[in-house]
Amino acid sequence: MEEQRAHWSSSVGFVFAAAGSAIGLGNLWKFPFITWENNGGAFVIVYLLCIAGVGLPIMMAELLIGRKTQKSVVGALREAVGPAWGLVGAWGVLCGFILLSYYTVIAGWSLYYFARTVTWTVEGFPQGTSLGEIFGEQSANGPLQLLLSLGFSAATVGIVYLGVQKGIERIARVFLPVLFAILLLLLLSSFGMSGSGEALAFIFHPHFSELDGSSVLEALGHSFFTLSLGMGAMVTYGSYIARDQSIVKASLWIVLLDTLIALFATIIMFTVIFTASMQDQVGGSTVGMLFIALPQLFFQEGVVPFGSVLAPLFYVLVALAALTSTISLLEVVVAYAIDQHGIARHKATILCGGAIFVFTILAALSFGSTPIISTMEIFEGKPGWFSTADHFVSNWMLPTGGLAITTAAGWFMTREATESELVDGTEPRWFRYGVWRLFIRFVAPAAVAAIIIRVILGGDFS
Ligand code: PHE
């Protein structure tokens, strides 16, 4: 006898869970940094266009495939498009597996910085501390890295183990409001700092002459990562949507929340940096901004009011955002094991979580603690398991998965099949199916194909 499929308890619960998946390190760690690197302004506008013109239609496509079939990604693509499409689903499951294996490591750093900033808040910030050195030491400390990522993996496994409603949805319902509250508090306090005007101008004042083709493709590539698209996370979450819950409305909310959080985080970070005139010291890496420049600025006198209190809160925010994303990654793999191999949820969660952790060990030891793992080089200029995996996922797996999913929804599924999911009486009145179809058939595939061509020609978006 088939067990009844679990569903989200309500549309709000679903939006929280899916927004929790979307909002993550991509918003707090990657987006501010690439905005910095690409000189803000024009890049942000292009990013918003990519989110609206490519991300949103693909979000709807993934959710509709999930809701229609009520199956996780492999079964869903098989049923909605055809048996061979199961392979695309399997590619997505593999992507979830690899992405989770290294994502956990950065998530673990947020736990470390939480603990560290609490100590500094209580005992005072030791003058003359070099945050660059602290970062280097912690990331090269193998046992510490293993402990942090084990802790994070255990939390992820624990939540997915409890299931769709009792685990994933319940955690998102509690964590997301807390995350918003912390972020708003930080945002309000950033408006009181002297650098806020300069930061806002940097982020929102466009200089189109500074924009080149590769920035556009970077914005596009990031819109996949940040919205959790291209690997079946949204197909899987979509498979738990009940028939009376609207895909169009939910997609709009998820995309809107994700974008707002990315922008808020960027405003906060840049305000702090401009207030302290630290523009030159942000460092040439994503890590530099979140784990080196920021902690220092929180504790530097006269930069962030109540900085020593806000600092630990900030790292709680990063940890919560990361956790609601890691659970969605694990769910992709677990739901596959449950649906396709008939393994019970509890067993599937432990087995999949354990298997992924083996690779997390490799990622955790990629920062100098274990020379072979830190220096292995498959892709030129990407030493270490961590960078190798990140490069492969961001450059190859997400764009190719995304291309397959848009073509599936736009060209291989019939008009009736997609229309009946989107236009079912739950959609907002202004929604036009024809516009979605135009974007999913032409705009989105062309844009994603451009990323893939660029990667083949040697571009790098990790
Ligand atoms: N969207 C998440 C982030 O921005 C990452 C993610 C990608 C999560 C794909 C699930 C699936 O951090």
Side-chain angles (χ1 to χ4, degrees):
M1 216 181 67
E2 238 183 87
E3 232 183 89
Q4 256 224 317
R5 191 166 191 80
H7 283 118
W8 309 109
S9 69
S10 66
S11 300
V12 176
F14 163 60
V15 169
F16 271 122
S21 166
I23 299 165
L25 296 170
N27 306 58
L28 307 174
W29 176 65
K30 256 188 176 170
F31 181 69
F33 179 69
I34 56 177
T35 301
W36 184 265
E37 235 184 1
N38 288 289
N39 291 317
F43 178 80
V44 173
I45 293 186
V46 170
Y47 171 75
L48 295 177
L49 290 176
C50 294
I51 290 283
V54 181
L56 181 61
I58 300 183
M59 173 70 72
M60 291 186 202
E62 289 206 15
L63 293 180
L64 86 81
I65 294 174
R67 190 181 76 164
K68 186 174 179 51
T69 56
Q70 299 281 302
K71 293 204 166 79
S72 59
V73 64
V74 172
L77 284 168
R78 259 192 209 151
E79 186 176 311
V81 208
W85 286 79
L87 279 178
V88 173
W91 185 239
V93 173
L94 183 67
C95 181
F97 190 106
I98 302 180
L99 181 45
L100 179 55
S101 78
Y102 68 87
Y103 197 94
T104 306
V105 176
I106 314 171
W109 294 344
S110 63
L111 297 181
Y112 176 80
Y113 277 88
F114 170 66
R116 233 17 225 263
T117 47
V118 168
T119 318
W120 291 332
T121 304
V122 177
E123 294 173 359
F125 186 68
Q127 285 314 314
T129 314
S130 152
L131 275 140
E133 260 167 46
I134 289 188
F135 178 78
E137 275 165 20
Q138 71 96 22
S139 58
N141 180 338
L144 174 69
Q145 287 305 311
L146 289 178
L147 193 72
L148 292 170
S149 47
L150 181 64
F152 215 91
S153 301
T156 309
V157 166
I159 296 164
V160 171
Y161 187 89
L162 293 175
V164 174
Q165 266 193 30
K166 291 208 185 95
I168 303 175
E169 182 178 334
R170 198 164 57 176
I171 284 293
R173 274 177 182 270
V174 177
F175 281 9
L176 233 58
V178 176
L179 188 148
F180 286 134
I182 299 177
L183 204 68
L184 280 180
L185 184 71
L186 289 164
L187 187 71
L188 286 179
S189 74
S190 81
F191 287 143
M193 295 179 216
S194 60
S196 73
E198 226 176 319
L200 288 172
F202 185 94
I203 301 167
F204 294 112
H205 189 76
H207 298 281
F208 282 101
S209 54
E210 288 167 18
L211 201 71
D212 59 16
S214 68
S215 313
V216 175
L217 292 181
E218 185 157 17
L220 194 57
H222 183 67
S223 62
F224 272 83
F225 186 86
T226 190
L227 293 176
S228 308
L229 298 174
M231 42 78 65
M234 290 298 167
V235 175
T236 306
Y237 273 22
S239 73
Y240 307 128
I241 309 181
R243 295 227 59 92
D244 57 350
Q245 296 168 1
S246 171
I247 292 179
V248 180
K249 282 189 204 147
S251 305
L252 283 169
W253 274 111
I254 300 162
V255 168
L256 184 74
L257 290 173
D258 184 76
T259 308
L260 279 180
I261 300 286
L263 291 175
F264 287 176
T266 311
I267 295 173
I268 295 164
M269 289 187 204
F270 289 8
T271 299
V272 171
I273 290 166
F274 279 111
T275 303
S277 302
M278 285 270 293
Q279 292 88 308
D280 303 334
Q281 292 162 56
V282 171
S285 72
T286 342
V287 159
M289 194 178 279
L290 195 56
F291 295 113
I292 299 177
L294 272 181
Q296 181 155 341
L297 296 177
F298 274 121
F299 289 95
Q300 197 164 306
E301 203 131 331
V303 178
V304 183
F306 306 107
S308 58
V309 181
L310 296 180
L313 273 182
F314 179 78
Y315 290 100
V316 172
L317 169 86
V318 179
L320 295 185
L323 187 60
T324 47
S325 297
T326 52
I327 56 183
S328 72
L329 288 163
L330 182 58
E331 180 63 20
V332 171
V333 185
V334 168
Y336 159 74
I338 297 174
D339 289 352
Q340 301 299 317
H341 298 285
I343 307 176
R345 171 168 290 270
H346 290 175
K347 197 169 155 200
T349 310
I350 308 249
L351 283 177
C352 299
I356 294 169
F357 188 71
V358 173
F359 289 86
T360 300
I361 295 176
L362 294 179
L365 302 180
S366 286
F367 294 89
S369 58
T370 314
I372 315 175
I373 304 174
S374 310
T375 54
M376 59 160 279
E377 198 168 309
I378 298 179
F379 301 108
E380 214 183 300
K382 301 279 158 198
W385 171 256
F386 181 99
S387 310
T388 306
D390 186 29
H391 179 86
F392 188 57
V393 165
S394 306
N395 285 278
W396 294 100
M397 298 197 90
L398 295 180
T400 46
L403 183 63
I405 289 173
T406 46
T407 27
W411 295 92
F412 289 88
M413 289 174 76
T414 61
R415 189 185 174 100
E416 294 69 52
T418 50
E419 189 165 13
S420 60
E421 287 299 315
L422 295 179
V423 184
D424 57 358
T426 63
E427 75 283 0
R429 227 180 298 146
W430 47 262
F431 175 71
R432 292 289 164 272
Y433 172 78
V435 178
W436 174 80
R437 191 158 162 89
L438 188 77
F439 274 81
I440 209 72
R441 275 165 81 88
F442 300 102
V443 181
V448 188
I451 303 188
I452 298 173
I453 293 171
R454 170 87 192 168
V455 169
I456 294 172
L457 296 177
D460 180 12
F461 301 110
S462 52

